[in-house]
Amino acid sequence: YERGEGVPQSLLDAYKWYAVASAQGDTESKARIEALGTQLSADDLAAAGQAAKAFHALPYDVAANTL
């Protein structure tokens, strides 16, 4: 989302997914969050942060990857 490669560019969505990854321990995502934080308004940062906190992955489904 940050670069808009294959999806519409959205710094808000980029921040959200970086925050989700960072919460799982991805260190590069933390650096990207800091960089994007300088480009988003306070309201946008709050919205993206709330969206990241609201994200919950679905349980892993083995059948989804079985032919």
Side-chain angles (χ1 to χ4, degrees):
Y1 286 100
E2 184 176 2
R3 294 185 187 109
E5 295 177 11
V7 294
Q9 185 180 25
S10 170
L11 297 183
L12 267 164
D13 285 325
Y15 187 98
K16 169 191 167 183
W17 290 116
Y18 284 138
V20 169
S22 179
Q24 297 297 311
D26 185 82
T27 55
E28 187 176 337
S29 294
K30 184 175 184 203
R32 295 309 312 144
I33 286 171
E34 291 173 8
L36 289 177
T38 66
Q39 300 175 55
L40 295 170
S41 70
D43 288 342
D44 286 345
L45 285 171
Q50 286 299 320
K53 287 179 187 175
F55 173 77
H56 298 285
L58 296 174
Y60 180 70
D61 182 1
V62 174
N65 295 308
T66 305
L67 297 175

